[in-house]
Amino acid sequence: AKNAGRNRFSYFTPALQVAALNRMRMTNDLRSALKGGQFRVYFQPIVHLRSGKIHKAEALIRWEHPQRGLVSPLEFIPLAESSGLIIDIGEWVFMESARWASRWRRDHHPEFQVSVNQSPLEFQREGKGYEGWLVHLRELGLSGQAVVVEITEGLLLDASDGVTDKLLQLRDAGIQVALDDFGTGYSSLSYLKKFDIDYLKIDRSFTRNLAPESSDMALSEAIIVMAHKLGLRVIAEGVETHEQRDLLLAAGCDYGQGYLFARPVPAEEFDAMLMAQTRE
Ligand code: C2E
Ligand code: CA
Ligand code: CA
Ligand code: CA
């Protein structure tokens, strides 16, 4: 028995122990970051291509780490997911986003929308649905239309009853749904017909290679035409150049998002951007 006990530990090499310890420490850091108010929600404009006006914003989380400075979500979202903390973090992002959406609807545009990202784990969580969100929206005097939820294709591919239920709940609440990173995964257009999706976000990897008569141009055009036929509106991600913007506009794309317009910025800065636009 003593030997078995020793064997059980033998596969924990020091390197694995260090990795596990690091993960534990990072998880604790994440937990105290949430409690200690170290997270920020940044907002990036989503621009109506034809008018050039900001109609929407995507909420993107940042971690203002006391030692490390601004930490990218690409670094901590995976850990937040595997530790389950993503649920509480996501709730906080939603609350912040709704608060700003309420202000921007009041001060700038009555149809302004803020979109929030939902990891598969958040979207599929058991038990708790979106009731809490609805209560919060009601308290702010907001309709569900103020919020868009961004989900990824993978969720729909093996859509369980749970996923279908959640989509219906959102629909009932008037909350719209965007399919994020379109074109990176399985990209079956069949589920666009099957599920009630409002927006399709063309992934940055397509936008990057846009050039007249390129294959990515042809694909983007086809995606936009099909999306429109199915009643979806299209947002192109990662628009960095005027040429990309012009090609997308010519292809009939509805909205663009990317560094050409603005990087994600703190809420106060975004507010100033909207203010400048409203004064124009
Ligand atoms: P995403 O949802 O695909 O978000 C778009 C990412 O592209 C953002 O990275 C944004 O800063 C970046 N981006 C925007 N325009 C451009 C451009 O013109 N060029 C380039 N190169 N990049 C551009 P970010 O903010 O680092 O976020 C990375 C990912 O982290 C997001 O990808 C999303 O999957 C996840 N994420 C961010 N915030 C949240 C959140 O609150 N909850 C969850 N679950 N995930 C989040
Ligand atoms: Ca997104
Ligand atoms: Ca995306
Ligand atoms: Ca992504």
Short mmCIF file of all heavy atoms in Angstrom, two decimals, residues 44 58-62 72-74 77 81 86 89-90 93 116-119 122 150 180-181 201 203-204 208 237-240 257-260 262-264, ligand 1:
data_model
loop_
_atom_site.label_atom_id
_atom_site.label_comp_id
_atom_site.label_asym_id
_atom_site.label_seq_id
_atom_site.Cartn_x
_atom_site.Cartn_y
_atom_site.Cartn_z
N GLN A 44 -15.03 48.73 -28.39
CA GLN A 44 -14.55 49.01 -29.74
C GLN A 44 -15.75 49.31 -30.64
O GLN A 44 -16.73 48.56 -30.65
CB GLN A 44 -13.76 47.83 -30.31
CG GLN A 44 -13.12 48.16 -31.65
CD GLN A 44 -12.31 47.01 -32.24
OE1 GLN A 44 -12.64 45.85 -32.05
NE2 GLN A 44 -11.26 47.35 -32.98
N GLU A 58 -18.45 46.62 -29.29
CA GLU A 58 -18.19 45.32 -28.68
C GLU A 58 -17.45 45.53 -27.37
O GLU A 58 -16.47 46.28 -27.30
CB GLU A 58 -17.35 44.41 -29.60
CG GLU A 58 -17.03 43.06 -28.93
CD GLU A 58 -16.32 42.05 -29.84
OE1 GLU A 58 -16.00 42.40 -30.99
OE2 GLU A 58 -16.10 40.92 -29.37
N ALA A 59 -17.93 44.88 -26.32
CA ALA A 59 -17.27 44.94 -25.01
C ALA A 59 -16.14 43.92 -24.98
O ALA A 59 -16.36 42.75 -25.27
CB ALA A 59 -18.29 44.64 -23.91
N LEU A 60 -14.94 44.38 -24.63
CA LEU A 60 -13.77 43.49 -24.58
C LEU A 60 -13.06 43.70 -23.25
O LEU A 60 -12.68 44.82 -22.90
CB LEU A 60 -12.83 43.78 -25.75
CG LEU A 60 -13.41 43.44 -27.14
CD1 LEU A 60 -12.72 44.23 -28.24
CD2 LEU A 60 -13.35 41.94 -27.40
N ILE A 61 -12.90 42.62 -22.50
CA ILE A 61 -12.36 42.74 -21.15
C ILE A 61 -10.84 42.93 -21.16
O ILE A 61 -10.15 42.44 -22.05
CB ILE A 61 -12.75 41.51 -20.29
CG1 ILE A 61 -12.49 41.78 -18.81
CG2 ILE A 61 -12.03 40.26 -20.78
CD1 ILE A 61 -13.08 40.74 -17.89
N ARG A 62 -10.35 43.68 -20.19
CA ARG A 62 -8.92 43.88 -19.96
C ARG A 62 -8.65 43.69 -18.48
O ARG A 62 -9.51 43.97 -17.65
CB ARG A 62 -8.50 45.31 -20.35
CG ARG A 62 -8.72 45.65 -21.81
CD ARG A 62 -7.69 44.95 -22.69
NE ARG A 62 -7.84 45.23 -24.10
CZ ARG A 62 -8.56 44.51 -24.96
NH1 ARG A 62 -9.26 43.47 -24.54
NH2 ARG A 62 -8.62 44.82 -26.23
N SER A 72 -3.81 40.80 -21.72
CA SER A 72 -4.77 40.49 -22.78
C SER A 72 -5.71 39.36 -22.36
O SER A 72 -5.30 38.42 -21.68
CB SER A 72 -4.00 40.07 -24.03
OG SER A 72 -4.78 39.23 -24.84
N PRO A 73 -6.96 39.44 -22.81
CA PRO A 73 -7.90 38.35 -22.49
C PRO A 73 -7.44 37.01 -23.06
O PRO A 73 -7.76 35.97 -22.52
CB PRO A 73 -9.22 38.80 -23.13
CG PRO A 73 -8.87 39.89 -24.07
CD PRO A 73 -7.61 40.51 -23.56
N LEU A 74 -6.67 37.05 -24.15
CA LEU A 74 -6.18 35.80 -24.73
C LEU A 74 -5.36 35.03 -23.71
O LEU A 74 -5.26 33.81 -23.75
CB LEU A 74 -5.33 36.08 -25.98
CG LEU A 74 -6.09 36.71 -27.15
CD1 LEU A 74 -5.13 37.07 -28.27
CD2 LEU A 74 -7.19 35.77 -27.63
N ILE A 77 -8.49 34.41 -20.33
CA ILE A 77 -9.81 33.82 -20.55
C ILE A 77 -9.76 32.28 -20.49
O ILE A 77 -10.62 31.67 -19.85
CB ILE A 77 -10.46 34.32 -21.87
CG1 ILE A 77 -10.83 35.81 -21.77
CG2 ILE A 77 -11.69 33.49 -22.24
CD1 ILE A 77 -12.08 36.14 -20.98
N GLU A 81 -11.94 30.14 -17.95
CA GLU A 81 -12.87 29.09 -18.39
C GLU A 81 -12.64 27.80 -17.62
O GLU A 81 -13.58 27.24 -17.05
CB GLU A 81 -12.72 28.85 -19.89
CG GLU A 81 -13.34 29.94 -20.74
CD GLU A 81 -13.01 29.81 -22.22
OE1 GLU A 81 -12.10 29.03 -22.58
OE2 GLU A 81 -13.67 30.50 -23.02
N ILE A 86 -15.06 32.21 -15.22
CA ILE A 86 -15.59 32.93 -16.36
C ILE A 86 -17.07 33.32 -16.15
O ILE A 86 -17.52 34.34 -16.66
CB ILE A 86 -15.45 32.10 -17.68
CG1 ILE A 86 -15.75 32.96 -18.92
CG2 ILE A 86 -16.33 30.88 -17.67
CD1 ILE A 86 -14.73 34.01 -19.22
N ILE A 89 -17.00 36.46 -14.01
CA ILE A 89 -16.39 37.53 -14.80
C ILE A 89 -17.37 37.99 -15.88
O ILE A 89 -17.57 39.18 -16.10
CB ILE A 89 -15.05 37.04 -15.42
CG1 ILE A 89 -14.01 36.81 -14.30
CG2 ILE A 89 -14.52 38.05 -16.43
CD1 ILE A 89 -12.70 36.20 -14.78
N GLY A 90 -17.99 37.02 -16.54
CA GLY A 90 -18.96 37.33 -17.60
C GLY A 90 -20.16 38.12 -17.10
O GLY A 90 -20.66 39.02 -17.77
N VAL A 93 -18.97 41.66 -16.71
CA VAL A 93 -18.86 42.32 -18.01
C VAL A 93 -20.25 42.72 -18.51
O VAL A 93 -20.45 43.83 -19.01
CB VAL A 93 -18.17 41.39 -19.06
CG1 VAL A 93 -18.28 41.98 -20.46
CG2 VAL A 93 -16.70 41.17 -18.69
N VAL A 116 -21.67 41.54 -26.14
CA VAL A 116 -20.80 40.89 -25.15
C VAL A 116 -20.49 39.48 -25.62
O VAL A 116 -21.32 38.81 -26.22
CB VAL A 116 -21.46 40.85 -23.75
CG1 VAL A 116 -21.65 42.24 -23.19
CG2 VAL A 116 -22.78 40.11 -23.77
N ASN A 117 -19.26 39.04 -25.36
CA ASN A 117 -18.83 37.70 -25.74
C ASN A 117 -19.25 36.69 -24.69
O ASN A 117 -19.17 36.95 -23.49
CB ASN A 117 -17.31 37.66 -25.88
CG ASN A 117 -16.83 38.47 -27.07
OD1 ASN A 117 -16.94 38.02 -28.21
ND2 ASN A 117 -16.32 39.67 -26.82
N GLN A 118 -19.69 35.53 -25.16
CA GLN A 118 -20.02 34.44 -24.25
C GLN A 118 -19.24 33.20 -24.67
O GLN A 118 -19.46 32.66 -25.76
CB GLN A 118 -21.52 34.14 -24.29
CG GLN A 118 -22.37 35.21 -23.63
CD GLN A 118 -22.52 34.98 -22.14
OE1 GLN A 118 -23.27 34.14 -21.69
NE2 GLN A 118 -21.77 35.76 -21.35
N SER A 119 -18.33 32.74 -23.80
CA SER A 119 -17.64 31.49 -24.05
C SER A 119 -18.66 30.36 -24.06
O SER A 119 -19.68 30.45 -23.39
CB SER A 119 -16.65 31.17 -22.94
OG SER A 119 -15.81 32.24 -22.70
N GLU A 122 -19.89 29.54 -20.66
CA GLU A 122 -20.86 30.47 -20.08
C GLU A 122 -22.23 30.22 -20.68
O GLU A 122 -23.25 30.22 -19.99
CB GLU A 122 -20.48 31.92 -20.39
CG GLU A 122 -19.21 32.42 -19.79
CD GLU A 122 -18.88 33.81 -20.31
OE1 GLU A 122 -19.48 34.78 -19.83
OE2 GLU A 122 -18.02 33.92 -21.21
N GLU A 150 -22.48 37.52 -28.41
CA GLU A 150 -21.62 36.91 -29.44
C GLU A 150 -21.24 35.49 -29.03
O GLU A 150 -20.65 35.29 -27.97
CB GLU A 150 -20.36 37.76 -29.65
CG GLU A 150 -20.67 39.17 -30.09
CD GLU A 150 -19.47 39.91 -30.71
OE1 GLU A 150 -18.38 39.32 -30.82
OE2 GLU A 150 -19.66 41.09 -31.09
N ASP A 180 -19.84 34.79 -34.00
CA ASP A 180 -18.49 35.37 -34.00
C ASP A 180 -17.52 34.53 -34.83
O ASP A 180 -17.76 33.33 -35.01
CB ASP A 180 -18.00 35.42 -32.54
CG ASP A 180 -16.97 36.50 -32.31
OD1 ASP A 180 -16.55 37.15 -33.28
OD2 ASP A 180 -16.60 36.71 -31.14
N ASP A 181 -16.46 35.14 -35.30
CA ASP A 181 -15.36 34.42 -35.96
C ASP A 181 -15.82 33.56 -37.12
O ASP A 181 -15.28 32.48 -37.36
CB ASP A 181 -14.62 33.50 -34.95
CG ASP A 181 -14.08 34.26 -33.76
OD1 ASP A 181 -13.98 35.49 -33.84
OD2 ASP A 181 -13.76 33.62 -32.75
N LYS A 201 -20.45 37.65 -37.96
CA LYS A 201 -19.20 38.41 -37.92
C LYS A 201 -18.14 37.66 -38.73
O LYS A 201 -17.70 36.58 -38.34
CB LYS A 201 -18.74 38.61 -36.47
CG LYS A 201 -19.72 39.45 -35.66
CD LYS A 201 -19.15 39.88 -34.32
CE LYS A 201 -18.24 41.10 -34.46
NZ LYS A 201 -17.88 41.66 -33.12
N ASP A 203 -14.71 36.66 -39.87
CA ASP A 203 -13.46 36.65 -39.12
C ASP A 203 -12.38 37.51 -39.77
O ASP A 203 -12.32 37.68 -40.99
CB ASP A 203 -12.95 35.22 -38.96
CG ASP A 203 -11.82 35.15 -37.95
OD1 ASP A 203 -12.10 35.38 -36.76
OD2 ASP A 203 -10.67 34.91 -38.36
N ARG A 204 -11.50 37.99 -38.90
CA ARG A 204 -10.40 38.85 -39.32
C ARG A 204 -9.50 38.20 -40.38
O ARG A 204 -8.94 38.87 -41.23
CB ARG A 204 -9.58 39.17 -38.06
CG ARG A 204 -8.49 40.15 -38.26
CD ARG A 204 -8.02 40.69 -36.94
NE ARG A 204 -7.14 39.79 -36.23
CZ ARG A 204 -7.28 39.45 -34.95
NH1 ARG A 204 -8.26 39.96 -34.25
NH2 ARG A 204 -6.44 38.64 -34.38
N ARG A 208 -8.31 40.28 -43.68
CA ARG A 208 -6.90 40.54 -43.88
C ARG A 208 -6.48 40.33 -45.34
O ARG A 208 -5.68 41.06 -45.89
CB ARG A 208 -6.07 39.63 -42.96
CG ARG A 208 -4.62 40.02 -42.90
CD ARG A 208 -3.85 39.25 -41.84
NE ARG A 208 -4.35 37.90 -41.63
CZ ARG A 208 -4.55 37.35 -40.44
NH1 ARG A 208 -4.33 38.05 -39.36
NH2 ARG A 208 -5.00 36.12 -40.33
N GLU A 237 -14.87 41.85 -39.21
CA GLU A 237 -13.90 42.12 -38.14
C GLU A 237 -12.54 42.47 -38.75
O GLU A 237 -12.25 42.11 -39.88
CB GLU A 237 -13.67 40.86 -37.31
CG GLU A 237 -14.86 40.30 -36.62
CD GLU A 237 -14.45 39.17 -35.66
OE1 GLU A 237 -13.78 38.21 -36.10
OE2 GLU A 237 -14.80 39.28 -34.49
N GLY A 238 -11.73 43.15 -37.98
CA GLY A 238 -10.33 43.37 -38.36
C GLY A 238 -10.13 44.27 -39.57
O GLY A 238 -9.20 44.07 -40.33
N VAL A 239 -11.01 45.26 -39.74
CA VAL A 239 -10.84 46.21 -40.85
C VAL A 239 -9.72 47.18 -40.49
O VAL A 239 -9.84 47.92 -39.52
CB VAL A 239 -12.15 46.99 -41.13
CG1 VAL A 239 -11.96 47.92 -42.31
CG2 VAL A 239 -13.31 46.04 -41.36
N GLU A 240 -8.63 47.12 -41.23
CA GLU A 240 -7.47 47.95 -40.88
C GLU A 240 -7.14 48.98 -41.94
O GLU A 240 -6.43 49.95 -41.66
CB GLU A 240 -6.25 47.04 -40.62
CG GLU A 240 -6.42 46.15 -39.40
CD GLU A 240 -5.18 45.33 -39.06
OE1 GLU A 240 -4.23 45.34 -39.85
OE2 GLU A 240 -5.19 44.68 -37.99
N GLN A 257 -15.59 46.64 -38.20
CA GLN A 257 -14.98 46.83 -36.88
C GLN A 257 -13.49 46.62 -37.07
O GLN A 257 -13.09 45.67 -37.73
CB GLN A 257 -15.56 45.78 -35.93
CG GLN A 257 -15.04 45.83 -34.52
CD GLN A 257 -15.65 44.71 -33.65
OE1 GLN A 257 -16.54 43.99 -34.07
NE2 GLN A 257 -15.15 44.59 -32.43
N GLY A 258 -12.68 47.50 -36.52
CA GLY A 258 -11.24 47.30 -36.68
C GLY A 258 -10.45 48.56 -36.43
O GLY A 258 -11.02 49.64 -36.22
N TYR A 259 -9.13 48.40 -36.46
CA TYR A 259 -8.23 49.49 -36.09
C TYR A 259 -8.38 50.69 -37.01
O TYR A 259 -8.03 51.81 -36.63
CB TYR A 259 -6.79 49.00 -36.08
CG TYR A 259 -6.48 47.94 -35.04
CD1 TYR A 259 -5.29 47.22 -35.08
CD2 TYR A 259 -7.39 47.67 -34.01
CE1 TYR A 259 -5.00 46.25 -34.12
CE2 TYR A 259 -7.11 46.69 -33.06
CZ TYR A 259 -5.92 45.99 -33.12
OH TYR A 259 -5.63 45.03 -32.18
N LEU A 260 -8.88 50.49 -38.26
CA LEU A 260 -9.10 51.64 -39.14
C LEU A 260 -10.01 52.66 -38.46
O LEU A 260 -9.80 53.86 -38.55
CB LEU A 260 -9.73 51.19 -40.47
CG LEU A 260 -10.18 52.31 -41.41
CD1 LEU A 260 -8.97 53.08 -41.95
CD2 LEU A 260 -11.00 51.77 -42.58
N ALA A 262 -11.16 52.43 -34.91
CA ALA A 262 -10.59 52.65 -33.57
C ALA A 262 -10.22 51.34 -32.93
O ALA A 262 -10.82 50.30 -33.23
CB ALA A 262 -11.58 53.39 -32.68
N ARG A 263 -9.24 51.39 -32.03
CA ARG A 263 -8.92 50.24 -31.19
C ARG A 263 -9.93 50.20 -30.06
O ARG A 263 -10.63 51.19 -29.82
CB ARG A 263 -7.51 50.40 -30.62
CG ARG A 263 -6.48 50.29 -31.69
CD ARG A 263 -5.06 50.28 -31.14
NE ARG A 263 -4.16 50.08 -32.28
CZ ARG A 263 -3.43 48.98 -32.47
NH1 ARG A 263 -3.46 48.01 -31.59
NH2 ARG A 263 -2.68 48.85 -33.54
N PRO A 264 -10.00 49.10 -29.34
CA PRO A 264 -10.84 49.10 -28.14
C PRO A 264 -10.31 50.15 -27.16
O PRO A 264 -9.09 50.26 -26.98
CB PRO A 264 -10.67 47.68 -27.58
CG PRO A 264 -10.13 46.86 -28.70
CD PRO A 264 -9.34 47.80 -29.56
P1 C2E B 1 -12.98 38.36 -30.40
O1 C2E B 1 -14.32 38.23 -29.77
O2 C2E B 1 -12.81 37.79 -31.75
O3 C2E B 1 -12.64 39.91 -30.36
C1 C2E B 1 -12.00 40.62 -31.38
C2 C2E B 1 -10.52 40.77 -31.10
O4 C2E B 1 -9.89 41.37 -32.22
C3 C2E B 1 -10.22 41.68 -29.92
O5 C2E B 1 -9.06 41.17 -29.26
C4 C2E B 1 -9.90 43.01 -30.60
O6 C2E B 1 -9.09 43.88 -29.82
C5 C2E B 1 -9.17 42.52 -31.83
N1 C2E B 1 -9.23 43.47 -32.95
C6 C2E B 1 -10.20 44.36 -33.24
N2 C2E B 1 -9.94 45.03 -34.38
C7 C2E B 1 -8.75 44.56 -34.83
C8 C2E B 1 -7.92 44.89 -35.97
O7 C2E B 1 -8.25 45.72 -36.81
N3 C2E B 1 -6.76 44.19 -36.10
C9 C2E B 1 -6.37 43.24 -35.20
N4 C2E B 1 -5.21 42.62 -35.39
N5 C2E B 1 -7.13 42.92 -34.10
C10 C2E B 1 -8.30 43.57 -33.92
P2 C2E B 1 -8.98 41.11 -27.66
O8 C2E B 1 -9.65 42.31 -27.07
O9 C2E B 1 -7.56 40.84 -27.32
O10 C2E B 1 -9.86 39.85 -27.30
C11 C2E B 1 -9.45 38.57 -27.66
C12 C2E B 1 -10.54 37.55 -27.44
O11 C2E B 1 -10.80 37.38 -26.05
C13 C2E B 1 -11.88 37.96 -28.05
O12 C2E B 1 -11.86 37.67 -29.44
C14 C2E B 1 -12.82 37.07 -27.26
O13 C2E B 1 -12.85 35.78 -27.78
C15 C2E B 1 -12.15 37.02 -25.89
N6 C2E B 1 -12.82 37.98 -24.98
C16 C2E B 1 -12.61 39.30 -24.81
N7 C2E B 1 -13.43 39.82 -23.86
C17 C2E B 1 -14.20 38.79 -23.42
C18 C2E B 1 -15.25 38.67 -22.45
O14 C2E B 1 -15.70 39.62 -21.78
N8 C2E B 1 -15.79 37.41 -22.27
C19 C2E B 1 -15.36 36.33 -22.99
N9 C2E B 1 -15.94 35.15 -22.75
N10 C2E B 1 -14.38 36.41 -23.91
C20 C2E B 1 -13.80 37.63 -24.13
#
